[in-house]
Amino acid sequence: MTDRIVVLGAGYAGLGAAKRAARRLRGAGARVTLVNAADRFVERIRLHQLAAGQRLPDLPLAGLLDGTGIELVVARVTGIDPGSRTVRLDAPPYELSYDVLVYALGSAAELDSVPGVREHAYTLATADEAVRLGTRLAGTGEVTVIGGGLTGIEAATEFAFTRPGLRVSLLSGGLIGESLSARARRHLHRAFRRMGIAVRERTPVAELGPNGLLLANGDELPAETVVWAAGFRVPGLAAEAGLATDRHGRMLVDRSLRSVSHPEVFGIGDAAAVDRSGQVARMACQTGLPMGICAGDAVADLLSGRAPRRARFRYVWQNISLGRHDGVTQFTRPDDSPLDAVLTGRTSAAFKETIARGTVWAMRHPGPYRP
């Protein structure tokens, strides 16, 4: 009997899991099907570059899957039925049955936490959103980026670097780069000043309108183009299917990345919540890709009659680009807390570019074989 493995989502986590499982189970009679809404792999860590008008490599999933034996289905997932072990789709074949399911549907921009975001803001969570924003930036003289995390920082600095005449503002409800060390934050602010980026920290936004922002303190701030980078949400499919989730809808998984309520389901990437000694795993490529490799191994273990091995990954750094020729690399402890050690400037920018290219290589070659 053929074991049916269905992987939902072809981001860093899902693609890595599918290829790893297929490689480990080659010749074992398993069938791996990868479901994704688009036929291209999206380098999400480069979407700010796409919005700034830069051309990104074209990465068809068919090419990345060549020779793996993995079946690609281009469709959106509309529902999951754990009882019958089926997945519903909006395109042929419309329904897939599974013995093991890998849930890797990622995250999207949070549009409903502040009134007006959905109607008036641009976002950077998908390639289509980045292209739409790029079209807008080509015809505007001012952009306000809201969000002091990595997405907001990289977007604001990329826009300022690419279009020196563009007036760029960066707002955050807390500190910008709050997860970084004081040394790294000092470099950020030097870069902001050099690029002419207007910065406002500890400035929560209460509402977005067609012509500007209403701040939590009651002040109004004109804004021609607003980019919302202040939060992400996960799909509601896991919770709707009755899988155990946290209050944010992220699937609760054990240290082998199996659902705590449905052991035939694995959850990885942004849409899964792995408790790492009291800290939920950060939404990031740096988390998603190792989780994918670990899940692929765990699926292979399960179908080979062995107990799935525990996922083992830890944080080493955070890479932040500040345009094409500057950056901050924040080295971290395994629990993701910052060390005082940082790289900055062109060295950091070159390091991040090497990592980004290496990630695509890893999508083609998902780790060494481990029996």
Side-chain angles (χ1 to χ4, degrees):
M1 179 178 176
T2 300
D3 290 311
R4 300 162 299 178
I5 305 161
V6 175
V7 181
L8 306 181
Y12 298 103
L15 183 57
K19 296 192 72 171
R20 183 69 170 192
R23 183 177 180 178
R24 286 285 312 278
L25 293 166
R26 189 185 299 273
R31 175 183 177 185
V32 181
T33 301
L34 179 62
V35 180
N36 199 58
D39 64 354
R40 259 58 181 170
F41 174 73
V42 176
E43 290 187 88
R44 194 165 177 178
I45 58 175
R46 292 191 186 273
L47 288 180
H48 57 287
Q49 295 175 241
L50 181 61
Q54 299 164 38
R55 179 173 294 181
L56 301 186
D58 185 33
L59 299 169
L61 285 171
L64 294 175
L65 298 176
D66 188 40
T68 64
I70 297 171
E71 177 189 7
L72 174 64
V73 173
V74 179
R76 293 186 182 278
V77 181
T78 60
I80 302 168
D81 185 347
S84 62
R85 297 195 180 187
T86 56
V87 175
R88 297 186 298 277
L89 310 173
D90 71 347
Y94 296 108
E95 187 172 280
L96 287 171
S97 298
Y98 64 83
D99 297 297
V100 177
L101 180 70
V102 180
Y103 185 88
L105 288 176
S107 61
E110 173 54 80
L111 301 179
D112 299 313
S113 59
V114 171
V117 170
R118 183 177 293 276
E119 295 82 5
H120 304 297
Y122 292 80
T123 52
L124 267 174
T126 68
D128 288 345
E129 291 170 11
V131 170
R132 177 173 172 261
L133 173 57
T135 301
R136 173 66 177 182
L137 291 176
T140 189
E142 180 272 335
V143 61
T144 299
V145 180
I146 302 174
L150 273 60
T151 301
I153 293 167
E154 292 193 323
T157 52
E158 197 71 46
F159 302 158
F161 172 83
T162 304
R163 296 185 57 195
L166 184 68
R167 298 188 304 277
V168 181
S169 300
L170 178 59
L171 273 69
S172 176
L175 291 177
I176 293 172
E178 199 158 15
S179 64
L180 306 178
S181 65
R183 183 179 175 189
R185 290 199 301 272
R186 285 195 296 271
H187 186 79
L188 287 182
H189 285 277
R190 284 195 293 269
F192 297 152
R193 289 192 294 272
R194 173 171 48 81
M195 293 182 175
I197 298 172
V199 172
R200 296 183 67 161
E201 296 183 300
R202 297 188 174 95
T203 307
V205 175
E207 187 174 351
L208 270 64
N211 300 309
L213 319 173
L214 174 65
L215 304 181
N217 64 6
D219 291 347
E220 294 183 1
L221 189 67
E224 183 177 322
T225 300
V226 175
V227 178
W228 187 258
F232 294 90
R233 61 172 177 81
V234 301
L237 289 167
E240 292 164 6
L243 298 164
T245 60
D246 66 10
R247 63 188 181 88
H248 301 294
R250 299 177 74 180
M251 185 190 299
L252 293 172
V253 298
D254 63 18
R255 294 306 298 269
S256 296
L257 305 177
R258 299 171 81 179
S259 165
V260 299
S261 61
H262 293 75
E264 74 281 1
V265 179
F266 289 77
I268 55 176
D270 289 359
V274 185
D275 187 347
R276 304 178 70 252
S277 300
Q279 178 184 3
V280 174
R282 171 163 51 92
M283 290 184 175
C285 162
Q286 190 182 18
T287 308
L289 181 54
M291 287 176 77
I293 302 302
C294 290
D297 280 334
V299 169
D301 288 341
L302 180 67
L303 295 180
S304 299
R306 295 189 292 267
R309 67 194 69 186
R310 291 177 57 159
R312 298 184 182 275
F313 58 93
R314 60 183 184 177
Y315 296 104
V316 181
W317 57 65
Q318 292 186 46
N319 273 325
I320 307 173
S321 64
L322 306 173
R324 294 298 84 209
H325 304 311
D326 192 6
V328 172
T329 300
Q330 171 70 70
F331 292 95
T332 67
R333 299 178 182 87
D335 66 358
D336 208 26
S337 61
L339 296 166
D340 195 44
V342 298
L343 287 179
T344 59
R346 289 180 179 268
T347 303
S348 173
F351 181 57
K352 178 169 184 182
E353 182 61 26
T354 299
I355 295 298
R357 293 183 181 185
T359 299
V360 174
W361 184 91
M363 291 291 96
R364 301 181 187 276
H365 311 280
Y369 175 79
R370 293 186 301 174

